[in-house]
Amino acid sequence: MTDHTPGAAGAAPVGVETVRARGELDWEDAQDFVRRLAAALDRPPRLLVVDFAEVTFADSSVLQGLLEAHRRMAEAGGRLVLAGPLREPVRRLLDLASATGYLHIAADADAAARCAPDPSALRPPRSPRA
């Protein structure tokens, strides 16, 4: 299960979006998770926090969604940060895919929220390729 919390004054710093996930993210749940990531990326935020503290399992379709979101954020000059603490099955998935050296990972959501890039680094979103 996932939910999406747009950043807003009083709730989160401006330019910060949070997508929270919990439980087991298998292929079926991954589809909803990826849709929520895409919705967050449509704005685009300076920082996208993906809170995985309550995720007990994630499969490769979840990893693919994270890597694609990471790429899109980097292209826009933003940053995706995966917030933990990460449970062992999730950590193992990231380790096996060598994604721990690629993704930004923070100890928890509060630490992740402090990882926003410099606002001057934000580039305008690209037009979709025809």
Side-chain angles (χ1 to χ4, degrees):
M1 171 181 261
T2 61
D3 65 15
H4 171 227
T5 307
V14 174
V16 176
E17 300 276 335
T18 301
V19 174
R20 288 181 181 84
R22 61 181 170 260
E24 293 189 8
L25 297 180
D26 57 14
W27 186 86
E28 187 175 315
D29 292 321
Q31 306 312 302
D32 179 56
F33 172 71
V34 170
R35 278 191 295 275
R36 292 184 187 280
L37 283 177
L41 292 168
D42 285 344
R43 293 191 222 317
R46 287 186 316 132
L47 175 66
L48 176 57
V49 175
V50 181
D51 188 342
F52 262 37
E54 295 181 37
V55 173
T56 57
F57 172 82
D59 72 7
S60 60
S61 56
V62 172
L63 177 60
Q64 180 181 358
L66 284 171
L67 294 174
E68 175 65 16
H70 172 81
R71 182 192 61 77
R72 287 183 56 195
M73 286 295 296
E75 285 179 353
R79 180 175 292 154
L80 180 146
V81 179
L82 188 60
L86 300 178
R87 310 253 176 122
E88 184 56 31
V90 175
R91 173 68 68 182
R92 188 172 35 241
L93 172 68
L94 297 175
D95 287 343
L96 288 171
S98 299
T100 52
Y102 183 72
L103 294 171
H104 302 285
I105 301 173
D108 56 35
D110 289 337
R114 294 189 296 269
C115 293
D118 181 345
S120 64
L122 190 63
R123 287 173 253 157
R126 291 186 186 182
S127 302
R129 294 184 181 121

